[in-house]
Amino acid sequence: DKAISVSYMPFMGNIVFSSVAGAYNFEKIGPVSLSVTNLNYGKFIERQEDGSEIGEFSAQEYAVVLGKSYTIGVITLGADVKFLGSQIGSYRAQAWATDLGAIFKHPEQDFTFGFAVKNLGKVYKKYTETSKDSLPFDVQLGASYRFKHAPLRISLTGNHLNKWDIVYNDPNQTTKVDEKGQPIQKKTKNFERLVRHSTLALEIMPVKFLDLRFSYNYLMSRELSLTDGLSSAGISFGGAIRWQFLEAAYTHSIVSNAGGMNTFTLNMRLGELSDL
């Protein structure tokens, strides 16, 4: 209740991600949240087919999300409605979507289990009449457990559960051939397909006001790796410091050897001001 969160992430090539979110518990209808997110790709040089410069254009994506939750005992249900927009120069696409979810919280132990269906909706305005625009539909499961006698929380999230095989085979990648010169079809084992759906996270709380966080996204690691082996891509680490009603958090996500993403977040629990 009365919570505000502000996030800022500068990225490569003047790309900037930012978001503002807030929640308020209304007396009659209960908790409601509102968030605005923007991903700005910056300015680009616009050219004719012959390469001559004719000006500049911008590109960005944005989302406005209105959410509602309702708690019944140990179960909390949630839903939101999203207006999504994308703009690349004079081309624009817009869509409406909704997310549905539920969380079970154990009444005695610090254990939660969640389920979410994301991006149910439709693109009602496409970039062009012939473009095939669609929403990234996603089904997720997640569980989190904090050990009773250790300052440690472990979380496991399953992503893209609506599709079993999410392995991307790059058609431009050099194909291996056999002794007869025939291309060798690349095979992916079922265990590899399984772990690509998973994200593992650890949270260490050495003192009351400090959290240290680490996560590993195997799908990101495989898709952003330049070789067939494992890479540091997909690793994220950071932490959060709390003081009274404020929390400041920082995360660094490794994308490639060329660099990564730094996310800065400030959370304010204004509802706790009256307790000070």
Side-chain angles (χ1 to χ4, degrees), residues 11-241:
F11 195 43
M12 303 175 186
N14 297 322
I15 299 174
V16 175
F17 169 86
S18 58
S19 71
V20 179
Y24 189 83
N25 191 7
F26 292 93
E27 185 176 350
K28 293 184 178 181
I29 63 175
V32 175
S33 65
L34 177 66
S35 69
V36 179
T37 300
N38 179 262
L39 181 58
N40 194 315
Y41 296 99
K43 296 287 186 179
F44 298 85
I45 298 175
E46 186 174 2
R47 300 179 185 274
Q48 296 277 22
E49 291 183 358
D50 61 3
S52 59
E53 185 177 335
I54 60 175
E56 289 185 336
F57 69 94
S58 60
Q60 63 176 327
E61 297 171 347
Y62 53 89
V64 180
V65 185
L66 180 65
K68 176 75 178 71
S69 66
Y70 183 71
T71 301
I72 310 172
V74 295
I75 302 291
T76 296
L77 306 175
D80 63 41
V81 177
K82 304 189 289 188
F83 172 73
L84 309 172
S86 178
Q87 173 248 322
I88 306 174
S90 60
Y91 296 93
R92 285 173 169 77
Q94 295 174 338
W96 286 99
T98 184
D99 302 329
L100 305 173
I103 285 183
F104 163 80
K105 186 174 183 180
H106 196 280
E108 298 178 358
Q109 300 186 32
D110 198 341
F111 170 77
T112 58
F113 177 80
F115 170 77
V117 178
K118 304 177 69 175
N119 297 317
L120 284 164
K122 183 179 180 180
V123 178
Y124 69 89
K125 179 179 175 57
K126 299 182 178 181
Y127 291 111
T128 66
E129 294 181 356
T130 58
S131 62
K132 299 180 180 180
D133 304 330
S134 61
L135 294 175
F137 179 70
D138 191 8
V139 177
Q140 299 180 353
L141 286 173
S144 174
Y145 177 73
R146 179 174 178 176
F147 293 89
K148 188 174 182 180
H149 300 293
L152 175 66
R153 182 188 302 277
I154 183 170
S155 303
L156 180 65
T157 304
N159 305 288
H160 307 96
L161 300 180
N162 50 298
K163 183 179 180 181
W164 166 242
D165 190 357
I166 56 174
V167 176
Y168 175 71
N169 293 315
D170 188 353
N172 297 317
Q173 190 175 24
T174 302
T175 304
K176 296 181 180 179
V177 296
D178 57 19
E179 296 177 352
K180 298 180 180 181
Q182 299 297 320
I184 300 174
Q185 188 70 28
K186 188 176 180 180
K187 296 182 180 180
T188 304
K189 296 181 180 179
N190 284 330
F191 180 75
E192 169 77 8
R193 293 189 177 99
L194 175 64
V195 294
R196 286 196 182 220
H197 292 274
S198 63
T199 301
L200 178 67
L202 299 175
E203 187 174 12
I204 303 172
M205 297 147 282
V207 290
K208 187 176 181 180
F209 61 86
L210 176 65
D211 290 353
L212 302 176
R213 298 162 180 170
F214 170 86
S215 73
Y216 181 61
N217 185 316
Y218 185 77
L219 178 64
M220 273 187 72
S221 174
R222 298 304 300 125
E223 291 194 341
L224 298 177
S225 175
L226 300 178
T227 66
D228 289 336
L230 297 178
S231 71
S232 58
I235 294 176
S236 298
F237 56 88
I241 298 177

